[in-house]
Amino acid sequence: MKLILRWIGKTRNPHLAALIGDYQARVGGLVDLTLSEVKGVEFQDPVRAVEAEGRQLLKGLGRDDYLVAMDPRGQSMNTDKFARLIADRREHSLKRLVFVLGGPDGLSQEVRSRSHRVVSLSSMTFSHEIARLLLLEQIYRAFTLVHRIPYHK
């Protein structure tokens, strides 16, 4: 299985970028991982920007890709359920599991509609850069659960 994380823009905070790099290396040691940064779109109207960014996030995705949109309005999951989601996709011989994160103004309805699952990281609000780190950490934690690798609780 190939795991792809797509998000809007570069991580500008160097401290967060270093932590993201750390978790990218950890996850990459357990699964074929690709991080894909999609350039943000500048519009005065945030709705138009989100729609344009959504099209960019979906660009290049295959019909067989299993898409999980990360959205605060999505389904809340505990870590065990999140790990099961990933394990189930791998057990079904899924070729590509794709997680998408929107920019500061969120995800388009088109992305949410195309997604197989819409999942919330938390009911709290985080910057989109911190959400990237949280998602990678939860993916790493999920793989450690699935592979029974010790990881702090």
Side-chain angles (χ1 to χ4, degrees):
M1 177 177 80
K2 183 168 185 65
L3 182 64
I4 301 168
L5 277 66
R6 296 189 67 145
W7 55 57
I8 301 296
K10 296 190 179 296
T11 305
R12 298 190 195 292
N13 182 312
H15 304 292
L16 288 174
L19 287 169
I20 287 169
D22 178 47
Y23 278 100
Q24 179 182 5
R26 292 180 192 207
V27 173
L30 300 169
V31 67
D32 184 1
L33 174 67
T34 299
L35 299 185
S36 174
E37 295 174 337
V38 175
K39 187 175 179 179
V41 178
E42 296 291 328
F43 280 114
Q44 294 229 344
D45 177 11
V47 173
R48 287 185 58 211
V50 167
E51 289 171 356
E53 289 171 349
R55 288 189 294 276
Q56 290 296 327
L57 285 169
L58 294 174
K59 193 174 191 177
L61 295 183
R63 289 178 19 161
D64 294 334
D65 292 343
Y66 191 91
L67 186 61
V68 179
M70 304 306 296
D71 186 285
R73 296 170 284 178
Q75 175 188 8
S76 180
M77 293 188 166
N78 65 26
T79 300
D80 291 329
K81 286 184 181 178
F82 188 70
R84 188 77 250 149
L85 167 70
I86 291 173
D88 285 348
R89 295 301 97 209
R90 193 176 64 181
E91 289 169 11
H92 286 90
S93 300
L94 183 69
K95 292 180 184 164
R96 295 183 0 149
L97 174 58
V98 182
F99 288 90
V100 295
L101 282 163
D105 294 312
L107 285 172
S108 69
Q109 182 57 45
E110 182 182 14
V111 171
R112 286 193 300 275
S113 295
R114 161 65 173 84
S115 299
H116 295 87
R117 300 288 291 267
V118 181
V119 176
S120 173
L121 281 171
S122 173
S123 58
M124 294 184 202
T125 302
F126 299 107
S127 74
H128 56 287
E129 290 189 352
I130 290 175
R132 298 169 187 175
L133 175 61
L134 292 173
L135 176 59
L136 267 169
E137 192 279 338
Q138 284 300 296
I139 289 170
Y140 177 69
R141 185 177 295 274
F143 274 101
T144 63
L145 285 169
V146 169
H147 292 289
R148 293 186 169 87
I149 298 170
Y151 184 57
H152 73 278
K153 295 182 179 188

